[in-house]
Amino acid sequence: MYETIDASSAIEKLKSSQFEGLSNVDVAARREKYGPNEFEEQKKKSMVMMFVSQLMDPMIYILLAATAVSAFLKEFADAIIIVAIILLNAIIGMIQEANAEKSLEALKKMSSPMAMVRRDGMLHEIPASELVPGDIVVLEAGRIVPADIRLIETTNLKIEESALTGESVPVDKDAHFVAKKELGIGDRINMAYLSTGVSYGRGEGIVVATGMDTEMGTIAKMISAEGDELTPLQKKLAELGKLLGILALAVCAGLFIVALVQGRNMLEMLLTAISLAVAAIPEGLPAVVTIVLALGVQRMVKVNTIVRKLPAVETLGSVSIVCSDKTGTLTQNKMTVVKTYMNGEEASADALDYKKSSLFIDGFVLCNDAEVDHVRELRMGDPTELALIDMGNAIGIHKSALQEKLPRINELPFDSERKMMTTVHETEDGDIISFTKGAMDNIIKRCDSIFVHGKVRAFTKEDQKIIADASKSLAKDALRVLALACKKDDRSASEDGLTFIGLVGMIDPARPEAKQAVAEFKEASVTTVMITGDHRDTAFAIAKDLGIADSEEQVISGDVLDTLSQDELNAIVPNIRVFARVSPTHKVMIVKAFKSHDQVVSMTGDGVNDAPSLKAADIGVAMGITGTDVSKGAADMILTDDNFATIKLAIREGRNIYNNIRETVLFLLSSNLGEIITMFVSIAVGLLSPLKPIHILWVNLITDSLPALALGVDQPEDDIMKRPPRGPKEGLFSGGGLSITIFFGCVIGFMTLAAYLYFPITELLKTGETLSFGHLDAFLRSHDDVYMKAQTFAFTTLGISQLFNAIGFKKLHKSIFQTNHLDNKMMIAAFAIGFGLQIAVTEIPFISNVFGTAQLSFVEWVVLTLFCTLPLWFHELFLLVKRIKS
């Protein structure tokens, strides 16, 4: 909340009262009205609620019902296994959710712990939380601004606001500035904002907002207001859960109708219904998906990416828009001299030669208050001055060594009115030289001579025009221009009668790797969008250099955004590539605008100002080195090397993970469909159930889940980054997924039925009975050993055929004879372990007793194994038919 203040009257009133500040009575009244200068805490979800929320799923409801019925029928082994599965999935989900958001806590930590304040005519240092609107706060270099403050006095005050606005250099503040219209945060030079840092000078101001009413507080509200939106995969799995739930109920209802028509035993039908419900639900799917994502997270650590939220790994694969903050993300967040002008020539800073340019380099390095300590790796001072120090360091000229030869004996500090500074130095020979550095316009007005190729001559109007044109040329490339002049034999730091030396042009340059990443994103049909608090010209220059924008028509600034509604921005946003001079609110609007066009949006950033948009995006990416705690807390993933190009590797990994999960889901569902077909057809024709609930659970959890995990870690295909991203509405069954599921489900289902019927049919025919479903059912009911062996055949076929089916699913659209099977050692291990466990449940007596299976001979194992390879041959047939059709 901002109190309305007339600048001139407020300043005069405060001066006339000798800056006494508030009285203790005023402070108490205002604290009662406005509360402490702190952020509100968000209500946290308890661990119990987190656990319960994991159970709110249609698939879980059906499994719980199956558990209850199993316990009622005293099938305790089945009930215990189902409960164990439910608990495992719930605990994994709870642990993930317990990795709670840290954004608001980080914002609280950023609040200044202490503040210098005037009260009752005296200076006091108090905890920042005790500030109230109306307090007069003193700001000095090195202090953190403790609240939102309207400045009333400034002396060369500069405040570092990059974390809040994205502005890459400190902002010069002016207490006497009065805005004539509504301005963006970055242009309010008479304001200082909570948690920004004073980098130079001093000032005083009146507190106009505290706590949640500050600009930082607004960001905190925006972070808490942005709910956690489900990722595309989560949405699709939720839809799949509902679909499977409906399918399970429909199958059970159909089963009971068949039972009533056939006059079956209802208790028997309850057990069969449990088997069908269990068959319809891929119990291992949630755990498999979670583990696949977790393994993906581990692989992403190797490409310098930390994932805070597991589903974010998959979301990366569908990203179509990468909205990136400029400062510190696309650029280095380090002002750098890139061009020079001297001796009438413009040149690259890389071409500097100290022998030819010693006066130029010495002047910029010495007329400088910044310091670089190479031993302690400390950098202190204004970014523009640090850039000049770096210019010297790059060619081996260090400020400390220069100062020993040319110690400073006098100075005239920089101020915002003169826009220049002067330092005076004495040489080893006792000569005096002064250097003046500052704005080009102000410097050349004070020059009467010019230094060209080692000689000094008179400074003409033609020289002025040439230098002004050179400055414009540098500025056209969005470079920040500084001029340098000198004067000899004057200890007084006088700034008249100067000799012009040259100009430097500096910018926060693009990261070298970012340009290549933008080009590779284009090839992958991913659009890069720049969002920055910098000025329009600077933003466009960087965007053009990176290949993000081609024309200025693709650039829009914050003052224009202020005039647009969300719907109006939605309409024009497809044509925009650069957003300049934006506020945190604008960034959220921009993300929402792209999302309105069904784009999957990634937002990258490192500042506090990026936090709301990081959270609003489908996936927020923060920088690990330069990123603030707030941005890291709001993000889904963090780049540990601050490399924009790392996002490309992460997207590649995300695409591969989604492809693997899709293949895993189709594999599991085709297996479950096979189980449903096996159960339903056998019951529909009047036969006993070919599988027990424990058989289905075993197959779903062991022989399915192991190869499913192997599918989840399969290597990416070579052309994965040359394909367009999948659409957010693209389902798991798109691209022929449904036909694949149904086809292989039918193959496995009818194979299992064939295996189930083979042994009882051969035994029935030996008795001389005619073959019919009625005779077959009666024969099974009267021969327990035959029924047990028939179930064992069905159980074994179901389990092993799915192991072979997984090999075919490894590369769905590629022949098994063209696939490198050795690149996925987990699949080889899964097949071997699954096969071994399937043998164990039939051949080890105490285990076979639990599962109700009969031992098989060596010949039976060989025959069944060869029979179970059928899915692979059908896989080749499927590809052949597909090729013929295309």
Side-chain angles (χ1 to χ4, degrees):
M1 171 246 84
Y2 287 97
E3 292 187 344
T4 303
I5 296 175
D6 177 76
S8 300
S9 62
I11 292 171
E12 290 305 316
K13 181 180 178 182
L14 286 164
K15 285 182 177 178
S16 65
S17 63
Q18 296 182 340
F19 294 86
E20 288 186 357
L22 299 176
S23 67
N24 289 333
V25 175
D26 291 332
V27 169
R30 293 183 184 223
R31 186 174 294 120
E32 180 69 25
K33 181 179 179 180
Y34 299 110
N37 183 27
E38 295 175 339
F39 293 142
E40 295 171 4
E41 289 196 22
Q42 196 173 23
K43 189 176 180 181
K44 293 180 182 177
K45 201 173 182 181
S46 68
M47 294 294 283
V48 173
M49 288 305 298
M50 288 182 194
F51 181 82
V52 171
S53 67
Q54 307 305 316
L55 304 178
M56 303 298 178
D57 183 277
M59 288 196 287
I60 299 297
Y61 300 154
I62 294 167
L63 289 176
L64 287 172
T67 304
V69 175
S70 296
F72 177 74
L73 297 174
K74 298 184 179 179
E75 297 287 338
F76 296 116
D78 295 349
I80 290 169
I81 291 174
I82 298 172
V83 168
I85 296 161
I86 293 170
L87 289 175
L88 176 64
N89 287 332
I91 290 168
I92 291 173
M94 180 187 69
I95 290 170
Q96 292 304 321
E97 192 174 343
N99 186 13
E101 294 297 324
K102 302 295 183 184
S103 301
L104 293 176
E105 287 80 355
L107 275 167
K108 284 184 70 178
K109 289 177 186 176
M110 287 187 69
S111 298
S112 173
M114 302 299 288
M116 190 71 74
V117 61
R118 291 187 188 276
R119 287 182 180 170
D120 289 322
M122 296 181 66
L123 271 177
H124 303 273
E125 189 169 35
I126 64 170
S129 60
E130 295 181 9
L131 286 176
V132 297
D135 264 327
I136 296 171
V137 174
V138 177
L139 301 175
E140 299 170 329
R143 282 193 176 270
I144 300 297
V145 180
D148 282 6
I149 295 169
R150 170 56 166 94
L151 297 168
I152 56 177
E153 184 179 273
T154 52
T155 305
N156 302 326
L157 181 65
K158 292 185 179 184
I159 296 182
E160 167 63 60
E161 295 181 343
S162 62
L164 180 63
T165 65
E167 181 76 54
S168 53
V169 295
V171 179
D172 289 310
K173 295 295 182 178
D174 182 359
H176 294 279
F177 172 79
V178 178
K180 295 179 181 178
K181 62 177 183 178
E182 183 66 28
L183 297 175
I185 295 173
D187 296 315
R188 300 173 193 168
I189 60 173
N190 55 8
M191 292 290 300
Y193 295 104
L194 173 67
S195 293
T196 58
V198 180
S199 61
Y200 193 83
R202 66 177 303 281
E204 294 195 25
I206 184 169
V207 174
V208 292
T210 57
M212 296 300 287
D213 295 323
T214 62
E215 290 295 338
M216 283 290 184
T218 302
I219 292 175
K221 289 175 189 173
M222 292 167 71
I223 293 172
S224 58
E226 285 295 334
D228 289 326
E229 189 173 340
L230 294 177
T231 69
L233 179 64
Q234 287 175 315
K235 291 173 184 175
K236 288 173 180 61
L237 290 178
E239 292 167 4
L240 178 63
K242 292 175 184 176
L243 178 65
L244 291 175
I246 294 168
L247 176 64
L249 293 174
V251 168
C252 290
L255 183 67
F256 271 97
I257 292 170
V258 170
L260 288 172
V261 171
Q262 294 179 349
R264 292 250 187 165
N265 181 291
M266 295 309 292
L267 191 63
E268 179 187 307
M269 283 300 98
L270 266 177
L271 282 170
T272 307
I274 292 171
S275 299
L276 270 173
V278 171
I281 304 299
E283 293 83 5
L285 179 59
V288 167
V289 169
T290 300
I291 293 168
V292 167
L293 290 173
L295 291 172
V297 168
Q298 291 177 10
R299 288 198 301 276
M300 292 182 82
V301 169
K302 296 176 183 177
V303 293
N304 302 310
T305 306
I306 296 172
V307 177
R308 295 184 64 251
K309 301 171 185 175
L310 278 186
V313 181
E314 165 272 328
T315 311
L316 274 168
S318 57
V319 166
S320 55
I321 299 284
V322 174
C323 292
S324 178
D325 180 50
K326 179 186 76 69
T327 305
T329 307
L330 290 168
T331 64
Q332 300 173 24
N333 197 18
K334 178 183 175 184
M335 292 298 286
T336 304
V337 175
V338 292
K339 287 187 179 180
T340 63
Y341 174 84
M342 60 183 148
N343 300 323
E345 297 175 356
E346 183 181 308
S348 168
D350 295 332
L352 277 176
D353 182 346
Y354 188 66
K355 290 181 180 178
K356 297 178 181 178
S357 315
S358 58
L359 189 64
F360 178 88
I361 295 166
D362 288 352
F364 275 120
V365 172
L366 289 169
C367 187
N368 197 315
D369 288 329
E371 296 290 342
V372 175
D373 186 329
H374 297 285
V375 177
R376 293 185 293 168
E377 296 184 350
L378 290 177
R379 296 172 60 83
M380 298 166 286
D382 185 275
T384 57
E385 295 202 319
L386 286 167
L388 297 171
I389 298 282
D390 291 336
M391 178 183 71
N393 290 341
I395 56 173
I397 305 303
H398 303 293
K399 183 181 176 182
S400 56
L402 269 182
Q403 281 184 321
E404 286 183 13
K405 294 180 181 178
L406 294 155
R408 186 184 297 189
I409 59 173
N410 196 5
E411 65 181 286
L412 192 59
F414 174 89
D415 70 48
S416 55
E417 290 184 12
R418 289 170 29 253
K419 294 187 177 177
M420 64 178 75
M421 70 174 287
T422 298
T423 59
V424 184
H425 304 268
E426 185 173 355
T427 69
E428 293 173 333
D429 298 329
D431 295 332
I432 304 298
I433 186 169
S434 66
F435 293 105
T436 302
K437 174 191 89 224
M440 185 276 299
D441 292 343
N442 291 21
I443 294 270
I444 61 174
K445 289 176 186 176
R446 298 166 183 260
C447 292
D448 59 15
S449 58
I450 182 170
F451 185 82
V452 181
H453 296 299
K455 295 180 180 180
V456 177
R457 63 169 174 79
F459 193 58
T460 66
K461 288 187 177 180
E462 181 64 20
D463 290 326
Q464 281 193 358
K465 183 179 182 304
I466 292 171
I467 292 167
D469 289 343
S471 179
K472 285 177 184 176
S473 174
L474 295 174
K476 196 164 73 174
D477 291 332
L479 302 184
R480 185 170 188 177
V481 180
L482 286 178
L484 178 72
C486 70
K487 188 176 183 180
K488 292 190 174 181
D489 303 323
D490 186 349
R491 292 175 175 268
S492 66
S494 167
E495 293 175 339
D496 292 315
L498 303 177
T499 300
F500 180 83
I501 299 174
L503 306 173
V504 290
M506 62 182 71
I507 197 169
D508 178 13
R511 289 175 174 266
E513 66 278 1
K515 190 170 185 176
Q516 183 183 350
V518 170
E520 289 175 353
F521 279 149
K522 281 184 180 177
E523 191 176 22
S525 300
V526 176
T527 302
T528 307
V529 174
M530 179 193 287
I531 303 176
T532 178
D534 265 350
H535 291 280
R536 182 189 179 101
D537 292 344
T538 306
F540 176 63
I542 293 290
K544 189 176 181 182
D545 180 46
L546 288 170
I548 293 172
D550 302 317
S551 72
E552 291 196 36
E553 293 176 358
Q554 294 175 298
V555 184
I556 191 171
S557 57
D559 56 346
V560 177
L561 288 174
D562 284 331
T563 66
L564 299 177
S565 66
Q566 184 68 60
D567 290 339
E568 288 171 332
L569 179 58
N570 294 353
I572 66 169
V573 79
N575 302 317
I576 307 299
R577 293 292 175 270
V578 179
F579 296 86
R581 217 65 185 149
V582 298
S583 69
T585 306
H586 292 150
K587 292 187 177 187
V588 175
M589 279 181 68
I590 293 162
V591 169
K592 289 180 177 178
F594 280 114
K595 289 173 76 172
S596 73
H597 291 273
D598 291 328
Q599 302 281 5
V600 177
V601 182
S602 165
M603 172 69 192
T604 69
D606 59 355
V608 176
N609 61 323
D610 297 317
S613 52
L614 287 173
K615 192 154 185 182
D618 293 293
I619 178 160
V621 183
M623 298 293 141
I625 300 172
T626 59
T628 60
D629 287 344
V630 181
S631 64
K632 293 174 189 175
D636 300 292
M637 55 181 269
I638 299 164
L639 305 183
T640 57
D641 61 353
D642 281 17
N643 190 336
F644 179 77
T646 301
I647 300 171
K648 178 201 69 176
L649 301 175
I651 288 178
R652 182 175 183 269
E653 189 65 45
R655 288 187 177 188
N656 184 51
I657 285 171
Y658 182 83
N659 288 346
N660 289 348
I661 287 176
R662 178 176 177 269
E663 290 178 0
T664 299
V665 170
L666 296 182
F667 163 70
L668 290 174
L669 292 183
S670 65
S671 302
N672 283 62
L673 181 60
E675 295 163 9
I676 291 172
I677 290 171
T678 301
M679 296 291 295
F680 196 81
V681 171
S682 61
I683 300 303
V685 298
L687 296 176
L688 284 171
S689 173
L691 297 164
K692 294 180 179 181
I694 197 171
H695 293 164
I696 297 170
L697 281 169
W698 174 265
V699 170
N700 287 358
L701 290 174
I702 305 301
T703 53
D704 271 7
S705 296
L706 289 175
L709 281 173
L711 286 173
V713 297
D714 209 17
Q715 296 298 312
E717 295 177 27
D718 295 335
D719 64 344
I720 197 166
M721 283 302 284
K722 293 181 181 177
R723 307 173 195 163
R726 70 182 190 278
K729 293 183 180 178
E730 184 178 313
L732 291 165
F733 295 113
S734 61
L738 184 60
S739 59
I740 290 169
T741 302
I742 293 172
F743 178 78
F744 285 100
C746 290
V747 168
I748 289 170
F750 287 110
M751 281 177 62
T752 307
L753 278 171
Y756 174 58
L757 296 174
Y758 169 75
F759 186 68
I761 286 175
T762 55
E763 293 298 310
L764 177 66
L765 291 177
K766 287 178 184 177
T767 64
E769 287 278 358
T770 56
L771 185 62
S772 70
F773 287 121
H775 289 157
L776 199 57
D777 182 59
F779 186 75
L780 287 169
R781 290 179 184 277
S782 60
H783 294 78
D784 289 342
D785 58 332
V786 174
Y787 180 43
M788 182 181 287
K789 193 153 194 175
Q791 280 193 321
T792 304
F793 272 31
F795 178 32
T796 302
T797 299
L798 181 66
I800 295 177
S801 66
Q802 291 184 18
L803 292 175
F804 281 105
N805 193 33
I807 293 173
F809 268 77
K810 183 175 180 289
K811 288 289 183 285
L812 268 175
H813 304 291
K814 200 172 183 179
S815 169
I816 59 170
F817 301 109
Q818 296 175 330
T819 303
N820 179 12
H821 297 284
L822 297 178
D823 69 354
N824 191 339
K825 293 180 175 58
M826 187 177 284
M827 178 63 78
I828 298 170
F831 185 92
I833 293 170
F835 204 107
L837 290 171
Q838 197 62 43
I839 292 173
V841 295
T842 56
E843 302 304 321
I844 298 175
F846 77 89
I847 300 177
S848 64
N849 290 338
V850 174
F851 283 84
T853 54
Q855 291 186 335
L856 303 178
S857 68
F858 177 76
V859 173
E860 288 170 332
W861 272 109
V862 171
V863 171
L864 282 174
T865 300
L866 291 173
F867 179 59
C868 288
T869 64
L870 270 178
L872 290 179
W873 304 114
F874 276 110
H875 174 80
E876 296 302 305
L877 178 63
F878 186 84
L879 290 177
L880 179 62
V881 171
K882 188 177 177 182
R883 279 196 295 270
I884 292 170
K885 283 185 176 180
S886 60

